[in-house]
Every structure is written in C-alpha cells, then in structure tokens.
Amino acid sequence: MQPKDIVAQFIADIHAQRFDEAKALLVAEGFEYVGPNMRFLSPDDMMSYQFGMAAIQKDLILRQLSAEGEHVFAVLDYRTNFEPIGDVRLAVWFRVRNDKIQTVEAFYNAAVVENMLGGNLPSAH
C-alpha cells in the first residue's frame, strides 16, 4: 500500500473505533506521537488515549488528505458530543516507513483539550 492509503485506512479505523486494526498500522518500535499538549512513545499509549476519547467522538471527518513520498498530511474535523469542546479542527502530519506509520504530529487548539482534561494531561512513557 502507498503511504496515503495506509493513513487513510488508519483514519477510517479510528473513525469506526477499530482500535486494534488502527494499532496494527503503527510501528511497534520507534513510534512517536507529538501533539501540542501531549507526547506518546508507544503505540499502546496513544491507542489507549484514543480509546478513552471514543466516548465523546461523534464524528471524524476527513477534509483533505495529501501525500509527498513518505509524508502524508491530513486535515480533519473531530466532532464531539462534549459541549465544552464542540468540534476540533486538526492538521496531522504522518510519516510512513516500510508500510507502517512511524510518527504522527498533530496540530490543534491545545487550550480546548487542556480545559476538558482539567490540566491532567497524559505524559510520555
């Protein structure tokens, strides 16, 4: 599969809350997720966080997906059932190597998430 197809499948799996399938698209060693207010060095940790967010996820809309080599860029609307958050616009940069997602870097309004979590953000392990 091409990097763009791998990322499209990952996003579809997160949208459908198929977390085991989504995790299978991530490298087991050398993984890194970096967001404006959290960092994960383990696919398990990132997927545990995603699983925890599933309760408030109303929809995940892919607005744009483009690729240049191993770099894939996605623009998403993360719609929630949680009034204090509402909808969050995300820009996500994926790097795919050897048919697995190695790094994920997300850009969004961190203040909204920090307010929701009451300042209790997960830390990297």
Side-chain angles (χ1 to χ4, degrees), residues 33-98:
Y33 167 90
V34 177
N37 54 7
M38 61 190 74
R39 182 174 180 224
F40 302 110
L41 299 176
S42 155
D44 288 329
D45 292 343
M46 187 186 93
M47 296 314 297
S48 292
Y49 176 75
Q50 289 294 328
F51 180 78
M53 294 296 287
I56 66 165
Q57 178 182 309
K58 180 173 21 176
D59 203 358
L60 183 62
I61 298 169
L62 178 61
R63 295 175 59 192
Q64 176 71 37
L65 188 66
S66 58
E68 184 175 312
E70 68 183 16
H71 303 277
V72 182
F73 305 91
V75 178
L76 304 156
D77 285 335
Y78 187 82
R79 296 195 175 158
T80 76
N81 295 312
F82 191 65
E83 275 303 312
I85 294 180
D87 299 342
V88 178
R89 293 199 179 3
L90 307 163
V92 188
W93 174 18
F94 298 86
R95 277 166 277 178
V96 179
R97 295 192 179 116
N98 300 319

